[in-house]
Amino acid sequence: MFKKDFFHQLLRRRLTIISLVILSVILFLGISAPYLAPHDPSQVALQYRFQPPSHQFPLGTDNLGRCNLSRLMFATRVSLSTALIVICLTMIIGIAVGTCSGYRGGWVDNLFMRLCDIVMAFPSLVLTLVIIGMLGPGFLNIIIALVSVQWVWYARIIRGMVLSLKERNFILAARASGTSDLAIIARHIMPGIIPQLAVLATLDLGGVIMHISGLSFLGLGIQPPTPELGAMLNDGKQFIRNDQTLMIYPGLVILLAVVSFNLLGDSLRDVFEELRR
């Protein structure tokens, strides 16, 4: 019944449907890139530089004669997959630390929270740049840098959720009946925080995409010849007088993805609040 009511309430919202359609199209472009892209995204063909849209090149070509549509599809695939990996790893670490800290309390809580305080004492962007500066740019390093900075926020939020749940009567009754701590966390605490985590992760996906694209735009993220939305923006800015579409296409995908994830996250939050009443 909860699932039925949840999807019914969610799909009643027009903005939710619009955001889901946009995200479905973007995800389809990324997933189908190896199969539907008309050209190799890294293939250089200088004789086709700055070609207008045509049957051969549906979105034209860039300064090296590479197919814009193929590069956009693969760039979407890279950016979204990187963002999803970052969110998943951040959630795993945040859930493990936050749940353990909030449920156990005592010196465990103090240790983890002081570690979080140390990380949060530095501006997140500056700390990310420092880590990338030490590790160097690249796909793996940008994931390590973003996860290293963002897990502390999830850990603190999840700790607060666990603290508010663990003193509830049904948790106390489970303890009194001899239920193990792991069983209590799995059966009673996690189901209570998963809806809020889903909202948090959905809202944060847009921000992570912005971070990844921004770092790649600065040359600190995913490196050429791998196509990536921020890197495509960086390449296109040099030729903005020749062909503005080189920046418009990747910028539009970033804008649509970020706005759609934010709208979906807002809708999820509103629906969960309505069902709680």
Side-chain angles (χ1 to χ4, degrees):
M1 181 62 68
F2 175 81
K3 292 182 179 179
K4 184 178 179 180
D5 292 341
F6 170 76
F7 287 111
H8 176 70
Q9 292 289 337
L10 187 65
L11 296 178
R12 284 179 58 191
R13 302 165 182 270
R14 183 176 301 174
L15 288 178
T16 303
I17 296 176
I18 294 174
S19 61
L20 286 173
V21 170
I22 293 173
L23 289 175
S24 298
V25 173
I26 293 174
L27 288 171
F28 175 77
L29 284 174
I31 293 171
S32 64
Y35 313 104
L36 299 182
H39 299 278
D40 183 345
S42 301
Q43 183 179 358
V44 175
L46 295 178
Q47 68 271 26
Y48 296 121
R49 295 176 74 239
F50 299 118
Q51 290 288 310
S54 62
H55 179 72
Q56 183 179 4
F57 302 106
L59 295 182
T61 60
D62 64 4
N63 59 301
L64 296 177
R66 297 172 296 190
C67 176
N68 285 331
L69 177 59
S70 301
R71 288 182 59 77
L72 195 65
M73 293 175 71
F74 276 91
T76 302
R77 179 186 182 89
V78 170
S79 296
L80 287 182
S81 61
T82 306
L84 288 172
I85 292 172
V86 169
I87 287 293
C88 289
L89 292 177
T90 302
M91 292 282 286
I92 291 171
I93 298 173
I95 289 173
V97 174
T99 304
C100 182
S101 178
Y103 189 81
R104 297 293 297 177
W107 68 269
V108 175
D109 185 29
N110 288 329
L111 176 64
F112 283 135
M113 289 305 101
R114 297 300 76 76
L115 178 61
C116 291
D117 290 340
I118 292 172
V119 177
M120 294 174 66
F122 301 93
S124 57
L125 178 59
V126 174
L127 189 56
T128 302
L129 293 174
V130 169
I131 296 174
I132 292 178
M134 292 188 298
L135 299 177
F139 175 78
L140 180 60
N141 293 342
I142 195 174
I143 292 176
I144 294 173
L146 290 174
V147 172
S148 299
V149 172
Q150 294 198 9
W151 71 267
V152 296
W153 302 94
Y154 281 81
R156 290 190 71 92
I157 292 172
I158 293 168
R159 171 184 176 268
M161 296 179 188
V162 174
L163 286 175
S164 67
L165 285 174
K166 75 173 188 177
E167 300 302 329
R168 299 277 183 91
N169 289 334
F170 64 92
I171 300 292
L172 298 177
R175 284 181 184 167
S177 65
T179 307
S180 67
D181 290 341
L182 287 176
I184 291 175
I185 292 172
R187 296 176 188 172
H188 302 292
I189 291 181
M190 291 306 299
I193 66 176
I194 282 177
Q196 300 175 67
L197 292 180
V199 174
L200 184 63
T202 306
L203 289 171
D204 206 26
L205 264 170
V208 173
I209 292 173
M210 289 288 290
H211 284 308
I212 294 169
S213 300
L215 292 170
S216 296
F217 180 81
L218 296 174
L220 299 174
I222 297 167
Q223 298 297 293
T226 303
E228 196 277 333
L229 295 174
M232 289 181 68
L233 280 173
N234 186 36
D235 293 340
K237 79 178 191 303
Q238 308 173 52
F239 306 98
I240 192 169
R241 294 180 181 273
N242 301 63
D243 190 353
Q244 294 78 21
T245 60
L246 295 181
M247 295 191 71
I248 291 175
Y249 293 144
L252 187 60
V253 173
I254 294 172
L255 174 65
L256 290 174
V258 172
V259 171
S260 298
F261 276 122
N262 287 342
L263 289 176
L264 182 58
D266 289 339
S267 297
L268 287 173
R269 180 191 58 206
D270 294 341
V271 170
F272 281 131
E273 288 179 355
E274 288 180 6
L275 293 177
R276 237 188 252 127
R277 295 171 186 170

